[in-house]
Every structure is written in structure tokens, then in C-alpha cells.
Amino acid sequence: MKKNTIVTTDTIAAISTAQGEGAIGIVRLSGNKAYQIFREIFSPSKPIKKYQSHRLYQGSVMNGANTSSLDQVMIAFMKAGKTYTGEEMVEIYTHGGSNVINSVLQRVLKAGARLADRGEFTRRAFLNGKMDLLQAEAVLDLIRADTDAARVQAIKQISGVLSEFISSIKKKLVQVKTNIEVLIDFPEEEASPKQLFDLKFILQAAHDEVMHVLKSYDQAKIIREGVHVVLIGRPNAGKSSLFNAIVGENRAIVTPHPGTTRDYIEEAINYKGVKLVFTDTAGIRSSEEPIEKLGMEMTRSRVEKSDIVIIVTDPSAASRYDEELSIAKEHKDNVIIAINKVDIASKDQIEQAKNAFEDYSVFPVSAKTREGVESLVQGISGPSLAPSIENAPVINRYRHKQALEHIELSLNAAINLIDQQAFPEIVAEEVDSALAGLKELTGEVTSQDILDKIFAEFCIGK
Ligand SMILES: Nc1nc2c(ncn2[C@@H]2O[C@H](COP(=O)(O)OP(=O)(O)OP(=O)(O)O)[C@@H](O)[C@H]2O)c(=O)[nH]1
Ligand SMILES: [Mg+2]
């Protein structure tokens, strides 16, 4: 893989383990002064003639020359090349107390390192050609993964399944470009129908593959981010009670007074390997009161962002469901109706509610007795269960989707232009545009802003 830009050479350092008390802590350095700093701060427990790369050494981190030991550590120095960032690196394994780790970090900074920014190690790995942007993003996905499926997907991405796909499409397009250029350079020799057919055939194949990967987005995104489910409904319908019953603890406040929930609360669960993120809201009601209005605004924005909307109803209190039905209609494809309080509602009341919502998937539940709650959760996760872990490339970020859609449009345009026997120059423009999209995806050509945004999501020390 080639380097993407000029290598930054200052030496960065950070604590790479999580904050808090632990058995060990790791301070990491990367940059061309890493070895020099290592030699300055480290005193080995027995004399070492020559330090070797990728070996662990035992000793102390010294506060200064002829002074006290800050900690007894294991330390490894790694020559530039076969390291995470591609640069010279040092890793110091300290005792895991936060004071110990921080004092070792301070010592390293005093010796000339600079505190790393978020994701700066991975950013350097990217800039030094150790991984492309898709793989760098997947490193973050792996750290964040909270289900097996999310982890498997991230590992697959780090190993380069999507990157290989992109490069295979790129190869095809470069081949097309080369052939078109011949046509441009020798305009007197008109393209034979066979030549044009061959070009179109390659473009069509590339287009179909891109379409196939585009289709993976919804499922792959859900594996990475989880299914976002929002609970709405009239005051006192039991939204917060149901939310608590689902997430398994008393997270949301429940009272007999309508209008209890004003803010929203979010809680994620892992249901049979699928991450489900539930949001309890202030529900739906009309009010002129400022706090209430804000609550309604929040509800609306959460509903917009969600994959599934659960409308919670209370058949023991309602006889008409006009408001619920109009909301249900708006979100037709992703609405679930929870008919709550079946423990106190009469048979007739429950039947009436079921009839009102006959066009939707309906789950009778009781937040109080938990009856039906498991079926409801099962109903939500059903379509996302047993996520495929085959080895096909998938995309799981909006950035990927946008880029692939752009590529798809360009390929489609190129194919149509060939059909219309357009000038080869114009076909070439579309192929170029598709190629640019591919380069953007892998980060071969990407603006500083996009990089900043991607790496800002990382933690410091990664
Ligand atoms: N019997 C019975 N009571 C319930 C059930 N679910 C909720 N309740 C009661 O209904 C009342 C309102 O419950 P909440 O969970 O606060 O309702 P909510 O929809 O969040 O209400 P707001 O936040 O005020 O909009 C409380 O007194 C709950 O104990 C249920 O399944 N059965
Ligand atoms: Mg509530």
C-alpha cells in the first residue's frame, strides 16, 4: 500500500488503556524520537548491550538521571516498519493505577513527546499506508462493538474485504479507461461494435457488483449501530413502564400522573446478539407549556432518527385511536403497536384495540406483569436476527453509502452513454467520476475535514 501523504515526524504519546484502576496500563509512543525517549527514561534491571526491536525488557522508568524510579515496567521498542503506525514505536507496560500511568506519561512528555490527539496513532497508520480509510474506520467499529456480530463485521472490514472489493472494481474501471483512451487517441479508427460491447460488459459487471454491496447497507449498519427503537404514545399509556420492563431496570420514572416523562432516555440491550437501542420519550400530546413543547420536539426528532417506532396504547383508558392511527400511517413500514396494560384492560377493550390496528403488527403486553414483553422484543429484533457473517463485502456507514451511490450513478451514466454511441471523451468523464468515488472511499483522495471528522470519533491513545 502506498503512503498517502508526507509522514508527520514528531513523537506522540498517550495512555492507551482505559482510565481507572487495572492490572496494567499501557503508555504508547510513536514517532522518530521514540527510541531516544525510551533510552532517556528507562533503566533496565540488568545491563543490556544492545536493545533489540520487538523485544520486552524489564526495568524502571526513572524520574530523571540518578533519581527515583516512577514505576517498574516492561517496555518494548519497535523499529519503524513493522509497527501499528509504521513509525518507530515504544510501548510501556506500567502498573495499572491511574497515578502511576499518568506519571509515566508525564515523564515521557517531559522527555520530548507530545500528547497524541484522538485517533492519532491510527491516523498515522493510515497516512503511512498501513491501512486504508475503510480499515481505519473499522478499527473504531471494533473498539465500539458490543455484540458478536458487530465484532465479526469489524474484523472482516479490518482484514480488508471491502478494500479488496473496491480495488477489484477500480481495476476494471482502469481497464475500461485505458481502452477508451485508445479510442480517444485514434479517432479516425471508429470503435467496433465488439469493442463497445466489451466495455459495456465490464461496466455492467462493475455496476452490478456495486449495487449488490449497496444493498448490504441497512443490515450492516444495524449490526454496527444497533436497531434504534423509540417508544411513543399518549400520556400515561405506560411508555416508561414498558421501557423499564424491556431494558430490565428502573431507568425511567413511572408515576400515575400524565406528563411524567419530559426528556428522553436511551438504553441499549443485547438481544440474542442484536443490539437494540430503546428510547423512552415524552410521547405525544398537545401542550403550550414550554417544557412540554420542548419534550414534543425531542420526541419528533427521535422518531425521525429511529428504525422502529413503538406506539404504546392503553386500551383500559382509550376507546378511540385516531391520533395513534395517523402517526402509524406516517411510519407505516416500521411501526409496531404495543397494546399495554392487558392485565387490567377488559377482553373487549383489547379486541377493540386489535381491530383498530389490524393493518399493523400488534403486540398485547403488560409492562406490569411482563406478559408479552419478550415477544415484543423478539418481534423487533426478528428481521435483524442471525446476521449473515459470510465473507461478502458490506458497507456500514453513511459515508460509504453516499460514495457508492455516486459510483453507481456514474457507472449507469457511462453505460447509457455507450448505448447512445456518445463520444468516448464523455464516457471517460463518467468513468473518471466513478474512479474518484472509489478513491474517496479508501481515502486515497480525501479532504482533511473528512479525516478530522473520522478520527475525532476515536479515543486518545488509539
Ligand atoms: N396495571 C398496569 N399499570 C401500568 C402498566 N404500565 C404502566 N402502568 C401504570 O400506568 C401509569 C403510567 O405509567 P408510565 O410508565 O409513567 O406511563 P408513560 O406513558 O411513561 O407516561 P408519561 O411519561 O406521563 O407520558 C403508572 O401508574 C404505571 O404504574 C401495565 O402494564 N399495567
Ligand atoms: Mg413516561
Side-chain angles (χ1 to χ4, degrees):
M1 205 176 279
K2 72 180 180 56
K3 290 184 179 181
N4 292 291
T5 49
I6 304 151
V7 189
T8 332
T9 48
D10 63 342
T11 301
I12 52 171
I15 297 169
S16 287
T17 34
Q19 286 296 324
E21 198 177 296
I24 58 165
I26 302 177
V27 174
R28 214 152 58 140
L29 285 88
S30 178
N32 59 4
K33 268 167 72 182
Y35 180 70
Q36 185 191 320
I37 294 172
F38 156 56
R39 292 303 305 271
E40 181 181 330
I41 64 165
F42 181 65
S43 165
S45 54
K46 63 172 198 243
I48 307 287
K49 277 209 192 89
K50 187 175 181 324
Y51 286 101
Q52 290 181 38
S53 181
H54 293 79
R55 286 271 177 90
L56 273 178
Y57 294 96
Q58 192 188 28
S60 290
V61 170
M62 306 305 291
N63 206 0
N66 309 318
T67 54
S68 59
S69 157
L70 286 173
D71 189 20
Q72 289 183 325
V73 301
M74 299 290 281
I75 196 164
F77 147 69
M78 288 155 278
K79 261 195 210 151
K82 287 183 183 157
T83 64
Y84 183 69
T85 58
E87 301 173 342
E88 193 171 292
M89 288 188 80
V90 167
E91 283 187 7
I92 311 168
Y93 306 90
T94 71
H95 286 93
S98 68
N99 186 280
V100 178
I101 307 172
N102 277 300
S103 49
V104 170
L105 175 67
Q106 290 310 320
R107 178 68 189 96
V108 163
L109 297 179
K110 206 172 108 193
R114 157 176 79 73
L115 191 62
D117 288 333
R118 287 175 172 273
E120 198 170 358
F121 289 91
T122 307
R123 188 175 187 143
R124 287 186 175 197
F126 162 68
L127 292 174
N128 292 326
K130 283 281 162 186
M131 58 178 82
D132 66 20
L133 201 52
L134 296 164
Q135 291 168 310
E137 285 170 327
V139 169
L140 181 64
D141 294 347
L142 182 62
I143 294 171
R144 297 252 172 98
D146 42 19
T147 60
D148 288 349
R151 173 178 50 77
V152 170
Q153 190 176 86
I155 292 273
K156 203 169 77 178
Q157 205 86 313
I158 291 176
S159 77
V161 176
L162 181 60
S163 309
E164 279 161 27
F165 165 75
I166 301 293
S167 102
S168 81
I169 298 287
K170 208 167 125 188
K171 251 194 213 141
K172 287 192 176 109
L173 299 192
V174 168
Q175 190 193 338
V176 169
K177 265 282 314 246
T178 317
N179 290 334
I180 294 179
E181 261 150 25
V182 174
L183 297 176
I184 296 173
D185 291 343
F186 302 99
E188 61 285 0
E189 284 177 39
E190 247 180 50
S192 71
K194 161 94 172 68
Q195 274 173 313
L196 289 177
F197 178 82
D198 286 349
L199 290 186
K200 196 181 142 184
F201 184 79
I202 302 173
L203 288 174
Q204 191 69 55
H207 176 267
D208 292 351
E209 287 178 54
V210 166
M211 276 306 277
H212 185 74
V213 174
L214 254 175
K215 284 193 188 128
S216 70
Y217 177 68
D218 289 339
Q219 172 90 15
K221 176 176 165 271
I222 277 177
I223 292 175
R224 183 171 84 87
E225 290 178 14
V227 187
H228 288 261
V229 188
V230 64
L231 293 146
I232 61 168
R234 287 190 216 178
N236 253 4
K239 303 174 292 296
S240 300
S241 305
L242 189 56
F243 175 85
N244 287 342
I246 293 169
V247 305
E249 52 181 312
N250 285 334
R251 276 285 277 119
I253 298 171
V254 169
T255 76
H257 305 291
T260 303
T261 308
R262 294 183 159 208
D263 206 345
Y264 65 84
I265 304 180
E266 192 179 274
E267 196 69 48
I269 63 167
N270 177 347
Y271 183 75
K272 298 188 180 167
V274 184
K275 182 177 173 186
L276 304 174
V277 188
F278 289 91
T279 306
D280 178 28
T281 69
I284 36 172
R285 53 181 175 254
S286 43
S287 168
E288 286 308 306
E289 208 246 321
I291 298 181
E292 294 262 292
K293 277 175 94 172
L294 269 179
M296 295 303 103
E297 271 310 308
M298 278 188 210
T299 302
R300 256 188 290 279
S301 98
R302 299 306 289 189
V303 168
E304 289 313 315
K305 285 182 198 144
S306 66
D307 303 301
I308 292 178
V309 179
I310 299 185
I311 302 182
V312 185
T313 63
D314 174 0
S316 72
S319 52
R320 295 181 60 83
Y321 297 98
D322 303 339
E323 234 176 313
E324 284 91 338
L325 282 164
S326 87
I327 293 174
K329 213 168 156 194
E330 224 177 289
H331 304 277
K332 185 135 186 63
D333 295 329
N334 48 3
V335 159
I336 285 180
I337 312 291
I339 300 180
N340 191 27
K341 307 198 190 181
V342 293
D343 57 307
I344 52 165
S346 71
K347 267 208 176 104
D348 283 352
Q349 287 170 322
I350 296 170
E351 271 317 300
Q352 201 194 351
K354 279 186 183 166
N355 289 336
F357 296 105
E358 60 183 358
D359 295 339
Y360 299 91
S361 40
V362 169
F363 290 87
V365 295
S366 163
K368 190 173 176 186
T369 66
R370 300 187 55 90
E371 183 190 336
V373 172
E374 168 96 20
S375 308
L376 173 68
V377 177
Q378 174 102 38
I380 296 163
S381 64
S384 326
L385 275 178
S388 62
I389 42 176
E390 40 161 331
N391 250 350
V394 299
I395 52 163
N396 59 15
R397 282 171 190 254
Y398 190 58
R399 185 183 84 82
H400 307 161
K401 183 171 184 258
Q402 271 182 315
L404 271 195
E405 278 172 350
H406 163 93
I407 293 161
E408 190 270 325
L409 284 177
S410 303
L411 292 178
N412 208 13
I415 292 164
N416 288 334
L417 286 166
I418 292 182
D419 279 343
Q420 295 156 16
Q421 300 180 335
F423 287 119
E425 286 87 343
I426 307 179
V427 180
E429 264 176 38
E430 292 297 342
V431 176
D432 271 338
S433 157
L435 274 167
L438 293 171
K439 288 180 183 163
E440 204 176 289
L441 257 178
T442 54
E444 241 175 281
V445 183
T446 301
S447 77
Q448 211 64 11
D449 286 355
I450 291 180
L451 293 185
D452 287 347
K453 215 173 121 197
I454 289 172
F455 290 103
E457 278 188 61
F458 278 70
C459 45
I460 288 175
K462 187 66 207 175

